[in-house]
Amino acid sequence: MKYAYYPGCSLSSTGIEYDMSTRKVAKALGVELWEIPEWNCCGASSAHLTDHLLALALPARNLAIAEEQGLDMAIPCAACYVRTKATEVEVKSSEEMQKTISEVIERKYTGQSRARALLDVFVNDVGLDSINALVHKPLKGLKVVSYYGCLLVRPPKYGFDDPEDPQSMDKLVEALGATPVDWAFKTECCSGAHAIAKSEVGLPMIEKILAAAKESGADCIATACPLCMCNLDMRQGQAGSKFGRSYNLPVFYFTELMGIALGIKPEELGVNKHFVDASGIIKKLNEAEGRRETA
Amino acid sequence: MEKIELTKALAQGQQMLAEVTHESGGVRASKCYQCGKCSAGCPVAFAMDKTPREIMRLLQLGLMEEALKSHTIWLCASCDTCSTRCPREVDIAKVMETLRIIAKKKGYVAEKKLDQFHDLFLKSVERNGRVYEMGLVLGRNILGMQPFKDVELSPAMLLKGKLALLPHTIKDNGEVKKIFANVRKRGGKV
Protein backbone atom coordinates (compact mmCIF):
# COMPACT_ATOMS: atom_id res chain seq x y z
CA MET A 1 0.00 0.00 0.00
CA LYS A 2 1.66 3.20 -1.16
CA TYR A 3 0.44 6.81 -1.16
CA ALA A 4 1.78 10.22 -2.07
CA TYR A 5 2.04 11.90 1.32
CA TYR A 6 1.02 15.53 1.67
CA PRO A 7 1.84 16.81 5.17
CA GLY A 8 0.80 20.45 4.55
CA CYS A 9 2.22 23.57 6.23
CA SER A 10 0.79 23.10 9.72
CA LEU A 11 2.38 19.68 10.12
CA SER A 12 5.86 21.18 10.12
CA SER A 13 5.04 23.71 12.85
CA THR A 14 1.96 23.88 15.09
CA GLY A 15 0.84 20.38 14.11
CA ILE A 16 4.25 18.73 14.23
CA GLU A 17 3.03 15.82 16.38
CA TYR A 18 0.43 14.95 13.72
CA ASP A 19 3.30 14.46 11.23
CA MET A 20 5.46 12.50 13.71
CA SER A 21 2.62 10.16 14.68
CA THR A 22 1.39 9.72 11.09
CA ARG A 23 4.81 8.59 9.87
CA LYS A 24 5.36 6.20 12.80
CA VAL A 25 1.90 4.66 12.58
CA ALA A 26 1.98 4.28 8.80
CA LYS A 27 5.27 2.43 9.08
CA ALA A 28 3.90 0.12 11.76
CA LEU A 29 0.86 -0.63 9.58
CA GLY A 30 3.00 -1.31 6.48
CA VAL A 31 1.68 1.75 4.64
CA GLU A 32 4.36 3.40 2.51
CA LEU A 33 4.19 7.21 2.45
CA TRP A 34 6.11 8.90 -0.36
CA GLU A 35 6.34 12.59 0.57
CA ILE A 36 5.56 14.80 -2.42
CA PRO A 37 8.89 16.55 -3.13
CA GLU A 38 8.71 20.35 -2.76
CA TRP A 39 4.95 20.31 -2.19
CA ASN A 40 3.27 23.70 -1.96
CA CYS A 41 0.61 25.13 0.36
CA CYS A 42 -2.92 24.09 -0.65
CA GLY A 43 -4.21 27.62 0.04
CA ALA A 44 -6.63 26.64 2.85
CA SER A 45 -8.50 28.54 4.10
CA SER A 46 -7.62 31.84 2.45
CA ALA A 47 -7.47 31.11 -1.28
CA HIS A 48 -11.08 29.95 -1.69
CA LEU A 49 -12.30 33.13 -0.02
CA THR A 50 -10.24 35.27 -2.40
CA ASP A 51 -10.30 33.68 -5.84
CA HIS A 52 -11.95 30.46 -7.03
CA LEU A 53 -9.36 29.67 -9.68
CA LEU A 54 -6.40 30.18 -7.35
CA ALA A 55 -8.10 27.90 -4.81
CA LEU A 56 -8.37 25.14 -7.40
CA ALA A 57 -4.91 25.66 -8.90
CA LEU A 58 -2.76 25.55 -5.74
CA PRO A 59 -3.67 21.96 -4.75
CA ALA A 60 -3.58 20.91 -8.42
CA ARG A 61 0.22 21.22 -8.57
CA ASN A 62 0.55 18.68 -5.71
CA LEU A 63 -2.00 16.37 -7.32
CA ALA A 64 -0.12 16.59 -10.64
CA ILE A 65 3.12 15.47 -8.96
CA ALA A 66 1.29 12.56 -7.28
CA GLU A 67 -0.32 11.64 -10.60
CA GLU A 68 3.08 11.45 -12.32
CA GLN A 69 3.92 8.69 -9.82
CA GLY A 70 0.56 6.98 -10.30
CA LEU A 71 -0.31 7.48 -6.62
CA ASP A 72 -3.34 8.72 -4.68
CA MET A 73 -2.66 11.38 -2.08
CA ALA A 74 -2.94 10.65 1.66
CA ILE A 75 -3.67 13.89 3.54
CA PRO A 76 -3.79 14.13 7.35
CA CYS A 77 -5.04 17.75 7.65
CA ALA A 78 -8.82 18.05 7.18
CA ALA A 79 -8.56 21.52 5.59
CA CYS A 80 -5.85 20.46 3.10
CA TYR A 81 -7.92 17.36 2.33
CA VAL A 82 -11.12 19.24 1.51
CA ARG A 83 -9.37 21.86 -0.67
CA THR A 84 -7.46 19.17 -2.58
CA LYS A 85 -10.61 17.06 -2.96
CA ALA A 86 -12.43 20.12 -4.37
CA THR A 87 -9.77 20.38 -7.08
CA GLU A 88 -9.96 16.67 -7.93
CA VAL A 89 -13.77 16.83 -8.23
CA GLU A 90 -13.75 20.02 -10.34
CA VAL A 91 -11.09 18.71 -12.71
CA LYS A 92 -13.06 15.47 -13.17
CA SER A 93 -16.27 17.42 -13.77
CA SER A 94 -15.31 18.94 -17.13
CA GLU A 95 -12.62 18.81 -19.79
CA GLU A 96 -12.66 22.57 -19.95
CA MET A 97 -11.78 22.85 -16.25
CA GLN A 98 -9.05 20.24 -16.66
CA LYS A 99 -7.57 22.29 -19.49
CA THR A 100 -7.78 25.57 -17.57
CA ILE A 101 -6.16 24.11 -14.45
CA SER A 102 -3.37 22.43 -16.40
CA GLU A 103 -2.63 25.72 -18.17
CA VAL A 104 -2.53 27.67 -14.90
CA ILE A 105 -0.23 25.22 -13.11
CA GLU A 106 1.78 24.50 -16.28
CA ARG A 107 1.64 20.79 -15.48
CA LYS A 108 -0.71 18.01 -16.54
CA TYR A 109 -3.37 16.87 -14.10
CA THR A 110 -6.24 14.71 -15.36
CA GLY A 111 -8.05 13.82 -12.14
CA GLN A 112 -6.58 10.30 -11.99
CA SER A 113 -4.78 10.85 -8.70
CA ARG A 114 -7.35 11.10 -5.90
CA ALA A 115 -7.28 13.07 -2.65
CA ARG A 116 -7.82 10.79 0.34
CA ALA A 117 -8.15 11.71 4.00
CA LEU A 118 -5.62 9.84 6.13
CA LEU A 119 -8.43 8.66 8.46
CA ASP A 120 -10.23 7.16 5.43
CA VAL A 121 -7.01 5.41 4.31
CA PHE A 122 -6.39 3.86 7.73
CA VAL A 123 -9.99 2.86 8.45
CA ASN A 124 -11.08 1.74 4.98
CA ASP A 125 -7.91 0.68 3.12
CA VAL A 126 -5.86 -0.81 5.97
CA GLY A 127 -9.04 -1.84 7.80
CA LEU A 128 -10.11 -2.01 11.41
CA ASP A 129 -9.42 -5.75 11.73
CA SER A 130 -5.81 -5.37 10.58
CA ILE A 131 -5.31 -2.42 12.94
CA ASN A 132 -6.89 -4.32 15.84
CA ALA A 133 -4.58 -7.29 15.18
CA LEU A 134 -1.53 -5.02 15.66
CA VAL A 135 -2.67 -3.48 18.99
CA HIS A 136 -0.09 -4.25 21.70
CA LYS A 137 -1.37 -1.93 24.39
CA PRO A 138 -5.16 -1.68 24.22
CA LEU A 139 -6.45 1.69 25.43
CA LYS A 140 -8.66 -0.05 28.00
CA GLY A 141 -10.90 2.18 30.05
CA LEU A 142 -10.08 5.34 28.08
CA LYS A 143 -13.24 7.26 27.21
CA VAL A 144 -12.82 9.20 23.97
CA VAL A 145 -15.07 11.69 22.18
CA SER A 146 -14.26 11.76 18.47
CA TYR A 147 -14.18 15.27 17.06
CA TYR A 148 -14.33 15.24 13.26
CA GLY A 149 -14.68 18.99 12.84
CA CYS A 150 -16.40 20.55 9.88
CA LEU A 151 -14.19 19.81 6.89
CA LEU A 152 -13.44 16.10 7.13
CA VAL A 153 -16.94 14.85 6.29
CA ARG A 154 -18.40 17.83 4.43
CA PRO A 155 -19.59 18.54 1.83
CA PRO A 156 -21.41 15.18 1.74
CA LYS A 157 -20.56 14.57 -1.93
CA TYR A 158 -16.85 14.22 -1.05
CA GLY A 159 -17.45 12.32 2.13
CA PHE A 160 -16.37 8.87 3.12
CA ASP A 161 -18.56 9.11 6.22
CA ASP A 162 -21.91 10.51 7.39
CA PRO A 163 -21.83 14.34 7.43
CA GLU A 164 -23.98 14.66 10.58
CA ASP A 165 -23.10 11.61 12.63
CA PRO A 166 -19.80 10.21 11.33
CA GLN A 167 -18.58 6.90 12.73
CA SER A 168 -15.13 6.10 11.33
CA MET A 169 -13.06 7.64 14.14
CA ASP A 170 -15.37 6.18 16.79
CA LYS A 171 -14.94 2.71 15.28
CA LEU A 172 -11.19 3.25 15.06
CA VAL A 173 -10.79 4.17 18.75
CA GLU A 174 -12.94 1.15 19.60
CA ALA A 175 -10.59 -1.06 17.56
CA LEU A 176 -7.74 0.37 19.68
CA GLY A 177 -9.48 -0.88 22.85
CA ALA A 178 -10.84 2.50 23.99
CA THR A 179 -14.48 3.36 24.70
CA PRO A 180 -16.00 5.75 22.16
CA VAL A 181 -18.38 8.24 23.81
CA ASP A 182 -21.30 9.57 21.78
CA TRP A 183 -21.86 13.34 21.80
CA ALA A 184 -23.60 16.03 19.78
CA PHE A 185 -20.56 18.11 18.76
CA LYS A 186 -18.78 15.67 16.41
CA THR A 187 -18.97 18.02 13.42
CA GLU A 188 -19.48 21.41 15.09
CA CYS A 189 -17.08 24.06 13.76
CA CYS A 190 -14.15 25.04 16.04
CA SER A 191 -14.08 28.52 14.36
CA GLY A 192 -11.02 27.70 12.27
CA ALA A 193 -8.83 30.73 11.68
CA HIS A 194 -11.30 33.07 13.45
CA ALA A 195 -9.59 32.14 16.71
CA ILE A 196 -6.40 33.71 15.33
CA ALA A 197 -7.85 36.77 13.57
CA LYS A 198 -10.97 37.46 15.65
CA SER A 199 -10.82 35.74 19.00
CA GLU A 200 -14.01 37.32 20.41
CA VAL A 201 -15.85 35.17 17.87
CA GLY A 202 -13.52 32.16 17.97
CA LEU A 203 -13.24 31.59 21.72
CA PRO A 204 -16.99 31.15 22.44
CA MET A 205 -17.14 28.55 19.66
CA ILE A 206 -14.19 26.66 21.14
CA GLU A 207 -15.70 26.89 24.61
CA LYS A 208 -18.97 25.24 23.51
CA ILE A 209 -17.12 22.22 22.15
CA LEU A 210 -14.94 21.85 25.24
CA ALA A 211 -17.97 22.17 27.53
CA ALA A 212 -19.86 19.49 25.58
CA ALA A 213 -16.86 17.15 25.67
CA LYS A 214 -16.54 17.63 29.43
CA GLU A 215 -20.25 17.01 29.98
CA SER A 216 -20.10 13.78 27.97
CA GLY A 217 -17.79 12.35 30.64
CA ALA A 218 -14.93 11.72 28.21
CA ASP A 219 -11.31 11.59 29.37
CA CYS A 220 -10.00 13.13 26.16
CA ILE A 221 -10.83 14.36 22.67
CA ALA A 222 -9.58 12.75 19.43
CA THR A 223 -9.16 15.00 16.40
CA ALA A 224 -8.02 14.81 12.77
CA CYS A 225 -7.20 18.45 12.02
CA PRO A 226 -4.25 20.64 13.08
CA LEU A 227 -6.39 23.77 13.30
CA CYS A 228 -8.98 21.99 15.49
CA MET A 229 -6.06 20.78 17.63
CA CYS A 230 -4.65 24.31 17.96
CA ASN A 231 -8.03 25.67 18.95
CA LEU A 232 -9.01 22.92 21.39
CA ASP A 233 -5.56 22.27 22.90
CA MET A 234 -3.45 25.44 22.62
CA ARG A 235 -6.39 27.79 23.22
CA GLN A 236 -8.06 25.66 25.89
CA GLY A 237 -6.49 27.87 28.57
CA GLN A 238 -7.64 31.10 26.85
CA ALA A 239 -11.18 29.75 26.37
CA GLY A 240 -11.28 28.52 29.96
CA SER A 241 -10.13 31.80 31.51
CA LYS A 242 -12.57 33.82 29.36
CA PHE A 243 -15.49 31.78 30.69
CA GLY A 244 -14.11 31.11 34.17
CA ARG A 245 -13.78 27.37 33.71
CA SER A 246 -11.01 24.84 33.74
CA TYR A 247 -11.47 21.85 31.45
CA ASN A 248 -8.21 19.94 31.74
CA LEU A 249 -9.17 17.87 28.71
CA PRO A 250 -6.22 16.42 26.79
CA VAL A 251 -6.64 16.45 23.00
CA PHE A 252 -4.97 13.82 20.81
CA TYR A 253 -4.62 13.37 17.09
CA PHE A 254 -6.22 10.02 16.25
CA THR A 255 -2.81 8.95 14.95
CA GLU A 256 -1.27 9.51 18.40
CA LEU A 257 -3.89 7.25 20.00
CA MET A 258 -3.16 4.65 17.30
CA GLY A 259 0.58 4.92 17.99
CA ILE A 260 0.15 4.48 21.75
CA ALA A 261 -2.03 1.40 21.20
CA LEU A 262 0.47 -0.03 18.72
CA GLY A 263 3.14 0.21 21.42
CA ILE A 264 5.10 3.22 20.12
CA LYS A 265 6.61 5.48 22.82
CA PRO A 266 4.45 8.62 23.37
CA GLU A 267 7.47 10.96 22.98
CA GLU A 268 8.18 9.49 19.55
CA LEU A 269 4.62 10.42 18.60
CA GLY A 270 5.01 13.98 19.92
CA VAL A 271 2.46 13.59 22.75
CA ASN A 272 4.75 15.68 25.02
CA LYS A 273 4.23 18.67 22.71
CA HIS A 274 0.60 19.20 23.71
CA PHE A 275 -0.38 22.28 25.71
CA VAL A 276 -2.84 20.36 27.88
CA ASP A 277 -0.70 17.79 29.65
CA ALA A 278 -1.58 14.26 28.53
CA SER A 279 0.87 12.47 30.82
CA GLY A 280 -1.87 11.63 33.36
CA ILE A 281 -3.69 9.61 30.73
CA ILE A 282 -0.50 7.86 29.59
CA LYS A 283 0.31 6.99 33.21
CA LYS A 284 -3.17 5.57 33.81
CA LEU A 285 -2.93 3.44 30.66
CA ASN A 286 0.50 2.15 31.71
CA GLU A 287 -0.76 1.28 35.20
CA ALA A 288 -3.74 -0.60 33.76
CA GLU A 289 -1.36 -2.40 31.38
CA GLY A 290 0.92 -3.30 34.33
CA ARG A 291 -2.03 -4.70 36.29
CA ARG A 292 -3.07 -6.86 33.33
CA GLU A 293 0.47 -8.21 32.93
CA THR A 294 0.81 -9.16 36.61
CA ALA A 295 -2.69 -10.63 36.75
CA MET B 1 -32.29 50.47 6.39
CA GLU B 2 -33.88 53.15 4.18
CA LYS B 3 -37.17 52.77 2.28
CA ILE B 4 -36.89 50.72 -0.89
CA GLU B 5 -39.15 50.44 -3.88
CA LEU B 6 -39.43 46.72 -4.24
CA THR B 7 -40.66 46.59 -7.84
CA LYS B 8 -37.48 48.29 -9.00
CA ALA B 9 -35.26 46.32 -6.65
CA LEU B 10 -36.80 43.04 -7.78
CA ALA B 11 -36.11 43.82 -11.42
CA GLN B 12 -32.48 44.60 -10.60
CA GLY B 13 -32.42 41.51 -8.42
CA GLN B 14 -32.75 39.15 -11.34
CA GLN B 15 -29.49 40.45 -12.75
CA MET B 16 -27.73 40.23 -9.39
CA LEU B 17 -28.93 36.70 -8.76
CA ALA B 18 -27.58 35.78 -12.18
CA GLU B 19 -24.21 37.34 -11.27
CA VAL B 20 -23.99 35.33 -8.03
CA THR B 21 -25.01 32.16 -9.88
CA HIS B 22 -22.34 32.79 -12.51
CA GLU B 23 -19.55 33.72 -10.08
CA SER B 24 -20.27 30.79 -7.77
CA GLY B 25 -20.22 28.23 -10.55
CA GLY B 26 -23.97 27.57 -10.68
CA VAL B 27 -25.39 28.10 -7.16
CA ARG B 28 -28.97 29.41 -7.37
CA ALA B 29 -29.96 31.58 -4.42
CA SER B 30 -33.44 31.91 -5.96
CA LYS B 31 -34.21 28.33 -4.86
CA CYS B 32 -34.15 29.31 -1.15
CA TYR B 33 -37.64 29.13 0.41
CA GLN B 34 -36.63 30.84 3.66
CA CYS B 35 -37.02 27.92 6.07
CA GLY B 36 -34.14 29.18 8.23
CA LYS B 37 -32.44 25.82 8.74
CA CYS B 38 -29.13 27.38 7.67
CA SER B 39 -29.35 30.01 10.39
CA ALA B 40 -30.54 27.62 13.10
CA GLY B 41 -27.46 25.44 12.61
CA CYS B 42 -24.90 28.15 11.86
CA PRO B 43 -22.22 28.11 14.58
CA VAL B 44 -21.27 31.76 13.91
CA ALA B 45 -24.83 33.15 13.71
CA PHE B 46 -24.47 34.59 17.24
CA ALA B 47 -21.84 37.04 15.99
CA MET B 48 -23.47 37.97 12.65
CA ASP B 49 -25.37 41.20 11.91
CA LYS B 50 -27.65 39.35 9.46
CA THR B 51 -28.42 35.63 9.53
CA PRO B 52 -27.55 33.52 6.48
CA ARG B 53 -31.30 33.28 5.73
CA GLU B 54 -31.54 37.07 5.68
CA ILE B 55 -28.61 37.29 3.27
CA MET B 56 -30.39 34.88 0.91
CA ARG B 57 -33.56 36.99 1.11
CA LEU B 58 -31.65 40.22 0.40
CA LEU B 59 -30.29 38.64 -2.77
CA GLN B 60 -33.75 37.51 -3.83
CA LEU B 61 -35.10 41.03 -3.29
CA GLY B 62 -32.30 42.59 -5.29
CA LEU B 63 -30.71 44.26 -2.27
CA MET B 64 -27.23 43.08 -3.10
CA GLU B 65 -25.46 46.12 -1.64
CA GLU B 66 -26.96 45.38 1.79
CA ALA B 67 -25.62 41.85 1.59
CA LEU B 68 -22.18 42.98 0.41
CA LYS B 69 -21.83 45.46 3.27
CA SER B 70 -22.74 42.93 5.96
CA HIS B 71 -20.33 41.44 8.48
CA THR B 72 -21.99 38.08 7.94
CA ILE B 73 -20.21 37.29 4.68
CA TRP B 74 -16.83 37.79 6.43
CA LEU B 75 -17.75 35.99 9.63
CA CYS B 76 -18.91 32.83 7.82
CA ALA B 77 -16.36 30.18 8.81
CA SER B 78 -16.96 28.09 5.64
CA CYS B 79 -17.87 25.08 7.77
CA ASP B 80 -20.54 24.00 5.25
CA THR B 81 -23.14 23.12 7.91
CA CYS B 82 -25.77 25.23 6.12
CA SER B 83 -25.01 23.77 2.68
CA THR B 84 -25.12 20.23 4.07
CA ARG B 85 -28.54 20.77 5.68
CA CYS B 86 -30.31 22.97 3.11
CA PRO B 87 -33.51 21.16 1.99
CA ARG B 88 -33.35 23.08 -1.31
CA GLU B 89 -29.73 22.04 -1.86
CA VAL B 90 -28.50 25.61 -2.09
CA ASP B 91 -24.76 25.81 -1.40
CA ILE B 92 -25.10 28.75 0.99
CA ALA B 93 -21.46 28.66 2.09
CA LYS B 94 -20.46 29.04 -1.55
CA VAL B 95 -22.79 32.04 -1.84
CA MET B 96 -21.07 33.64 1.18
CA GLU B 97 -17.67 32.95 -0.38
CA THR B 98 -18.81 34.48 -3.69
CA LEU B 99 -20.29 37.58 -2.01
CA ARG B 100 -17.02 38.09 -0.20
CA ILE B 101 -15.05 38.00 -3.42
CA ILE B 102 -17.49 40.47 -5.06
CA ALA B 103 -17.46 42.70 -1.95
CA LYS B 104 -13.69 42.85 -1.98
CA LYS B 105 -13.64 43.83 -5.65
CA LYS B 106 -16.10 46.64 -4.89
CA GLY B 107 -14.09 47.80 -1.90
CA TYR B 108 -16.60 46.78 0.81
CA VAL B 109 -14.69 45.13 3.60
CA ALA B 110 -16.77 45.03 6.80
CA GLU B 111 -14.21 42.91 8.68
CA LYS B 112 -10.76 44.36 8.08
CA LYS B 113 -8.85 42.04 10.44
CA LEU B 114 -10.21 38.89 8.81
CA ASP B 115 -9.47 40.28 5.36
CA GLN B 116 -5.91 41.25 6.34
CA PHE B 117 -5.31 37.77 7.68
CA HIS B 118 -6.21 36.16 4.36
CA ASP B 119 -4.10 38.66 2.39
CA LEU B 120 -1.08 37.97 4.59
CA PHE B 121 -1.65 34.25 4.26
CA LEU B 122 -1.66 34.35 0.47
CA LYS B 123 1.34 36.68 0.33
CA SER B 124 3.26 34.14 2.39
CA VAL B 125 2.22 31.34 0.00
CA GLU B 126 3.20 33.37 -3.07
CA ARG B 127 6.56 34.32 -1.60
CA ASN B 128 7.60 31.02 -0.03
CA GLY B 129 5.40 28.38 -1.63
CA ARG B 130 4.22 27.52 1.86
CA VAL B 131 2.68 29.35 4.80
CA TYR B 132 5.14 30.72 7.29
CA GLU B 133 3.08 30.68 10.49
CA MET B 134 5.43 32.82 12.61
CA GLY B 135 5.47 35.56 9.95
CA LEU B 136 1.71 35.30 9.61
CA VAL B 137 1.13 35.80 13.33
CA LEU B 138 3.59 38.71 13.54
CA GLY B 139 2.08 40.40 10.47
CA ARG B 140 -1.41 39.89 11.83
CA ASN B 141 -0.44 41.52 15.13
CA ILE B 142 1.28 44.51 13.52
CA LEU B 143 -1.40 45.25 10.91
CA GLY B 144 -4.19 44.56 13.36
CA MET B 145 -2.67 47.00 15.89
CA GLN B 146 -2.65 44.29 18.56
CA PRO B 147 1.08 43.64 19.01
CA PHE B 148 0.75 41.45 22.10
CA LYS B 149 -2.10 39.21 20.99
CA ASP B 150 -1.38 35.56 21.88
CA VAL B 151 2.07 36.57 23.14
CA GLU B 152 1.59 34.29 26.16
CA LEU B 153 1.51 31.27 23.83
CA SER B 154 4.77 32.02 22.00
CA PRO B 155 7.45 30.83 24.48
CA ALA B 156 5.75 27.45 24.92
CA MET B 157 5.32 27.11 21.17
CA LEU B 158 9.01 27.75 20.57
CA LEU B 159 10.04 25.32 23.30
CA LYS B 160 7.82 22.62 21.90
CA GLY B 161 9.30 23.12 18.44
CA LYS B 162 5.97 24.38 17.12
CA LEU B 163 7.15 27.70 15.71
CA ALA B 164 9.94 28.01 13.19
CA LEU B 165 11.89 31.27 13.36
CA LEU B 166 12.62 31.33 9.65
CA PRO B 167 10.31 30.64 6.71
CA HIS B 168 10.57 27.38 4.81
CA THR B 169 10.96 28.24 1.14
CA ILE B 170 10.44 25.53 -1.44
CA LYS B 171 12.67 24.91 -4.45
CA ASP B 172 10.01 24.82 -7.12
CA ASN B 173 11.71 26.99 -9.78
CA GLY B 174 9.06 29.63 -9.28
CA GLU B 175 6.14 27.33 -10.12
CA VAL B 176 3.96 28.69 -7.31
CA LYS B 177 4.72 32.30 -8.27
CA LYS B 178 3.73 31.36 -11.83
CA ILE B 179 0.40 29.95 -10.60
CA PHE B 180 -0.37 33.33 -8.99
CA ALA B 181 0.74 35.16 -12.14
CA ASN B 182 -1.36 32.93 -14.41
CA VAL B 183 -4.42 33.42 -12.21
CA ARG B 184 -3.92 37.21 -12.44
CA LYS B 185 -3.58 37.00 -16.22
CA ARG B 186 -7.02 35.42 -16.30
CA GLY B 187 -8.49 38.31 -14.34
CA GLY B 188 -8.05 36.87 -10.82
CA LYS B 189 -7.82 39.51 -8.10
CA VAL B 190 -5.17 38.09 -5.80
Side-chain angles (χ1 to χ4, degrees):
Chain A
M1 231 177 271
K2 187 176 174 183
Y3 299 86
Y5 178 51
Y6 180 73
C9 306
S10 292
L11 270 69
S12 54
S13 55
T14 49
I16 195 165
E17 61 271 51
Y18 202 4
D19 182 60
M20 292 165 74
S21 52
T22 295
R23 289 178 197 268
K24 289 275 174 192
V25 167
K27 198 170 171 204
L29 298 176
V31 174
E32 196 183 332
L33 296 178
W34 175 78
E35 183 172 344
I36 296 173
E38 303 301 329
W39 50 265
N40 60 273
C41 170
C42 71
S45 321
S46 296
H48 73 107
L49 299 172
T50 310
D51 188 90
H52 292 314
L53 185 58
L54 181 71
L56 294 173
L58 285 172
R61 177 177 170 270
N62 301 317
L63 281 162
I65 301 171
E67 193 168 273
E68 278 168 25
Q69 302 293 316
L71 297 173
D72 282 343
M73 261 166 88
I75 310 174
C77 168
C80 298
Y81 159 70
V82 81
R83 296 322 321 164
T84 309
K85 193 76 190 169
T87 298
E88 177 209 320
V89 170
E90 281 289 323
V91 164
K92 274 184 186 154
S93 73
S94 80
E95 273 184 32
E96 197 193 331
M97 185 54 90
Q98 187 189 318
K99 198 171 150 263
T100 307
I101 296 288
S102 294
E103 280 170 14
V104 170
I105 63 170
E106 300 184 19
R107 276 177 183 265
K108 195 177 161 201
Y109 173 59
T110 66
Q112 282 273 310
S113 171
R114 293 179 301 159
R116 301 282 308 278
L118 184 74
L119 179 67
D120 178 24
V121 166
F122 283 171
V123 171
N124 296 313
D125 292 6
V126 177
L128 294 171
D129 291 342
S130 309
I131 293 170
N132 182 257
L134 290 167
V135 168
H136 288 297
K137 284 185 161 190
L139 309 178
K140 264 219 136 65
L142 185 68
K143 287 180 281 180
V144 185
V145 280
S146 292
Y147 179 63
Y148 299 77
C150 47
L151 300 174
L152 194 62
V153 291
R154 285 201 287 256
K157 64 176 172 182
Y158 304 165
F160 57 91
D161 207 334
D162 189 282
E164 295 284 0
D165 185 18
Q167 298 294 329
S168 46
M169 212 189 308
D170 292 79
K171 285 186 183 146
L172 175 65
V173 297
E174 195 171 27
L176 303 175
T179 309
V181 177
D182 199 20
W183 66 321
F185 282 69
K186 281 182 175 181
T187 61
E188 195 74 9
C189 175
C190 74
S191 86
H194 282 6
I196 309 168
K198 208 172 163 67
S199 54
E200 66 273 31
V201 175
L203 288 180
M205 295 170 74
I206 296 168
E207 196 272 340
K208 272 188 201 160
I209 295 163
L210 292 170
K214 197 78 188 171
E215 273 159 31
S216 75
D219 302 312
C220 64
I221 302 173
T223 176
C225 171
L227 200 50
C228 297
M229 180 73 168
C230 251
N231 284 342
L232 298 181
D233 174 59
M234 189 178 85
R235 295 189 189 276
Q236 194 173 121
Q238 284 182 344
S241 56
K242 188 175 166 95
F243 294 93
R245 290 186 68 172
S246 166
Y247 302 101
N248 193 23
L249 258 178
V251 189
F252 291 91
Y253 288 108
F254 72 94
T255 44
E256 292 177 310
L257 291 177
M258 289 178 82
I260 295 166
L262 296 174
I264 302 165
K265 283 193 189 125
E267 341 39 292
E268 289 180 30
L269 301 162
V271 175
N272 51 340
K273 292 179 182 293
H274 296 184
F275 276 72
V276 180
D277 186 15
S279 60
I281 285 184
I282 306 288
K283 205 172 141 211
K284 247 202 226 162
L285 287 171
N286 285 341
E287 281 166 7
E289 175 75 12
R291 276 199 300 277
R292 266 199 302 283
E293 272 169 15
T294 49
Chain B
M1 205 165 124
E2 66 210 73
K3 278 188 189 165
I4 286 148
E5 200 194 316
L6 270 184
T7 328
K8 215 158 97 192
L10 277 169
Q12 282 177 348
Q14 294 308 315
Q15 198 190 334
M16 286 165 185
L17 273 178
E19 187 184 347
V20 173
T21 303
H22 175 76
E23 292 282 324
S24 62
V27 183
R28 286 169 54 204
S30 56
K31 278 165 67 184
C32 166
Y33 57 27
Q34 292 286 295
C35 71
K37 205 172 181 182
C38 50
S39 309
C42 175
V44 209
F46 74 96
M48 290 172 170
D49 53 344
K50 293 183 172 66
T51 63
R53 181 192 63 79
E54 286 173 317
I55 295 288
M56 301 305 284
R57 192 65 182 147
L58 286 172
L59 294 184
Q60 292 177 338
L61 292 175
L63 305 175
M64 178 91 136
E65 298 279 304
E66 296 279 332
L68 292 177
K69 286 176 183 165
S70 72
H71 290 256
T72 299
I73 58 173
W74 298 92
L75 291 172
C76 164
S78 307
C79 76
D80 269 353
T81 305
C82 51
S83 306
T84 301
R85 292 179 183 170
C86 177
R88 299 286 290 154
E89 296 181 343
V90 179
D91 191 344
I92 302 147
K94 188 87 182 180
V95 171
M96 297 292 169
E97 190 179 302
T98 306
L99 290 176
R100 213 159 146 149
I101 292 170
I102 300 174
K104 194 162 179 177
K105 278 186 197 158
K106 294 198 171 190
Y108 301 142
V109 179
E111 287 286 342
K112 296 234 160 35
K113 274 188 213 165
L114 289 170
D115 185 49
Q116 272 167 359
F117 174 82
H118 295 300
D119 282 349
L120 282 170
F121 188 105
L122 290 176
K123 264 188 202 137
S124 178
V125 177
E126 185 170 12
R127 193 180 306 127
N128 306 309
R130 292 184 188 168
V131 166
Y132 169 43
E133 291 183 333
M134 179 84 159
L136 189 61
V137 168
L138 285 174
R140 183 272 326 256
N141 284 7
I142 293 163
L143 281 176
M145 306 287 275
Q146 40 188 357
F148 300 111
K149 189 173 186 298
D150 292 337
V151 79
E152 78 276 17
L153 296 169
S154 308
M157 287 181 84
L158 282 170
L159 278 176
K160 288 170 195 287
K162 288 190 161 193
L163 265 189
L165 287 172
L166 290 171
H168 187 114
T169 308
I170 64 170
K171 299 179 207 73
D172 66 342
N173 298 319
E175 275 186 70
V176 173
K177 286 192 179 77
K178 255 190 245 167
I179 292 175
F180 277 83
N182 287 340
V183 167
R184 285 188 192 109
K185 260 188 229 161
R186 288 166 182 268
K189 291 262 184 293
V190 288

